[in-house]
């Protein structure tokens, strides 16, 4: 088996953290780089958290690159109200044993895609699309080195979680999302429509917590902290594990289903900014937008992989 080369672009975030741990535990995936982006919490916090996660997973061989510190056009909007001041509250992550690579995250994405040769890269953004939009703007020929982008973001038939219409990652950098959507890159989206069906309920958390290994303990602690926000806001019985849906899709695509068609994001109208929608407009992109998941099989996969570290 040849492992699939991927880049994880991320703003940890408890759910980002679990996605990263899952990917680092999966032999089917060759994590070429982790690039960080300001989102749930600012830089340098997201970078420090990523360094702690490669340390926790004993995967210090995976380079972490500091990416953008703010969105392309708008002011940075963060989500400590969801994730806590560290972004990964609930876990006592180890002090990093490695430092961030000196290259900028945008340049790391460009270099990896230009060097991809006959092994194009799957780019997995788990946060605002700032770094990916910047990389496409700086070097459009990187698109030839990208197999596909699988992004967690957006809300199509589901309401937003940051405004009534906008999901967080879409809201934070809608201009970067527009660059990505309209680039023509093969794109799969895991919006709230599917992630709100991937709820980690008490029996899943108990299972994770029963695994006496550092990564499983950290993941259980993070879910226990992070679930309170969605339980209070939506009255649902657990935490949606948004970002791990991206990694699970790479490992077991048959767990998910959705539809392919034209899409767009509102990036000009302040009242509706960040709204992702299906569109027939000329010049806007296409994506496969996922809407359902086999939640039990998904959680079995998350727990098996994180528990194996
Ligand atoms: C997305 O926003 C962040 O809060 C999570 O990490 C996830 O990527 C969910 O809307
Ligand atoms: Ca995220």
């Amino acid at each position: 088996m040849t492992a699939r080369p991927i880049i994880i672009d991320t703003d940890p975030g408890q759910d980002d953290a679990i996605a990263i741990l899952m990917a680092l535990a999966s032999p089917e995936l060759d994590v070429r780089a982790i690039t960080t982006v300001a989102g749930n919490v600012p830089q340098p916090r997201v970078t420090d958290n990523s360094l702690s996660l490669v340390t926790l997973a004993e995967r210090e061989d995976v380079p972490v690159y500091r990416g953008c510190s703010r969105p392309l056009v708008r002011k940075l909007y963060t989500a400590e109200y969801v994730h806590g001041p560290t972004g990964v509250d609930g876990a006592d992550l180890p002090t990093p044993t490695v430092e961030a690579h000196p290259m900028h995250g945008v340049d790391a994405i460009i270099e990896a895609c230009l060097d991809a040769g006959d092994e194009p890269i799957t780019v997995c953004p788990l946060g605002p699309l700032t770094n990916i939009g910047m990389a496409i703007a700086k070097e459009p020929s990187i698109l030839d080195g990208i197999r596909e982008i699988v992004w967690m973001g957006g809300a199509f038939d589901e309401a937003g979680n940051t405004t009534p219409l906008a999901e967080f990652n879409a809201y934070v950098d809608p201009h970067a999302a527009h660059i990505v959507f309209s680039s023509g890159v093969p794109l799969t989206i895991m919006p709230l429509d599917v992630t709100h069906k991937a709820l980690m309920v008490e029996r899943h958390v108990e299972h994770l917590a029963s695994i006496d290994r550092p990564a499983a303990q950290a993941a259980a602690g993070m879910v226990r902290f992070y679930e309170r926000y969605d339980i209070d806001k939506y009255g649902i019985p657990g935490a949606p594990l948004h970002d791990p849906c991206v990694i699970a899709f790479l490992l077991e695509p048959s767990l998910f289903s959705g539809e392919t068609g034209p899409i767009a994001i509102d990036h000009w109208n302040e009242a509706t900014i960040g709204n992702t929608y299906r569109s027939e407009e000329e010049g806007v992109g296409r994506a496969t937008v996922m809407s359902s998941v086999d939640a039990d099989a998904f959680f079995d996969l998350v727990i098996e992989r994180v528990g194996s570290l």
Side-chain angles (χ1 to χ4, degrees):
M1 177 190 67
T2 313
R4 177 173 180 169
I6 72 168
I7 292 174
I8 300 177
D9 187 75
T10 181
D11 61 336
Q14 289 91 350
D15 60 324
D16 301 73
I18 293 171
I20 290 169
L21 293 172
M22 220 182 143
L24 294 177
S26 296
E28 302 93 326
L29 303 177
D30 171 11
V31 185
R32 297 268 171 98
I34 295 174
T35 55
T36 66
V37 62
N40 287 322
V41 286
Q43 293 279 11
R45 190 53 98 168
V46 286
T47 300
D48 290 346
N49 291 346
S50 300
L51 292 165
S52 288
L53 288 160
V54 296
T55 302
L56 175 66
E58 298 181 356
R59 288 298 310 275
E60 295 94 331
D61 56 301
V62 175
V64 173
Y65 300 85
R66 182 177 291 112
C68 291
S69 298
R70 51 156 287 179
L72 297 186
V73 177
R74 286 157 68 75
K75 267 177 59 183
L76 178 63
Y77 173 87
T78 54
E80 288 87 352
Y81 59 92
V82 180
H83 300 274
T86 68
V88 288
D89 281 41
D92 200 8
L93 296 181
T95 303
T97 53
V98 279
E99 292 185 354
H101 193 284
M103 185 185 283
H104 192 275
V106 170
D107 294 319
I109 293 168
I110 291 172
E111 191 176 278
C113 295
L114 292 181
D115 289 351
D118 55 8
E119 263 196 314
I121 309 285
T122 299
V123 179
C124 303
L126 310 178
L129 286 164
T130 316
N131 288 333
I132 319 300
M134 276 286 278
I136 293 172
K138 189 171 179 188
E139 188 47 76
S141 66
I142 63 167
L143 295 170
D144 296 336
I146 298 180
R147 173 170 162 182
E148 66 174 319
I149 292 180
V150 185
W151 177 51
M152 189 281 130
F156 287 79
D157 297 322
E158 182 84 356
N161 61 358
T162 302
T163 73
L165 290 172
E167 179 278 333
F168 179 79
N169 294 335
Y171 179 78
V172 173
D173 202 336
H175 302 91
H178 177 70
I179 292 174
V180 173
F181 287 12
S182 56
S183 70
V185 74
L187 179 62
T188 296
I189 300 182
M190 295 288 166
L192 296 182
D193 308 59
V194 65
T195 67
H196 277 176
K197 294 172 184 150
L199 298 182
M200 191 156 210
V201 296
E202 188 52 32
R203 71 173 187 282
H204 301 128
V205 193
E206 273 172 20
H207 185 173
L208 201 49
S210 72
I211 303 170
D212 189 18
R213 301 182 69 88
Q217 292 298 308
M222 287 191 282
V223 174
R224 288 213 193 281
F225 176 84
Y226 156 84
E227 65 185 4
R228 91 218 170 282
Y229 177 79
D230 289 278
I231 291 172
D232 290 351
K233 177 167 178 164
Y234 294 103
I236 52 181
L241 278 201
H242 306 284
D243 295 337
C245 287
V246 169
I247 304 303
F249 174 71
L250 302 186
L251 298 172
E252 293 283 350
S254 63
L255 298 182
F256 297 87
S257 62
E259 277 183 21
T260 305
I263 56 146
I265 181 164
D266 186 336
H267 58 288
W268 59 89
N269 178 354
E270 192 54 42
T272 52
I273 201 154
N275 180 28
T276 45
Y277 55 96
R278 296 185 183 81
S279 162
E280 297 296 339
E281 285 170 40
E282 204 182 325
V284 188
R286 287 176 72 76
T288 300
V289 177
M290 294 301 178
S291 55
S292 67
V293 57
D294 177 342
D296 281 333
F298 167 70
F299 282 107
D300 286 348
L301 185 62
V302 172
I303 294 167
E304 178 214 310
R305 298 305 166 107
V306 174
S308 74
L309 279 172

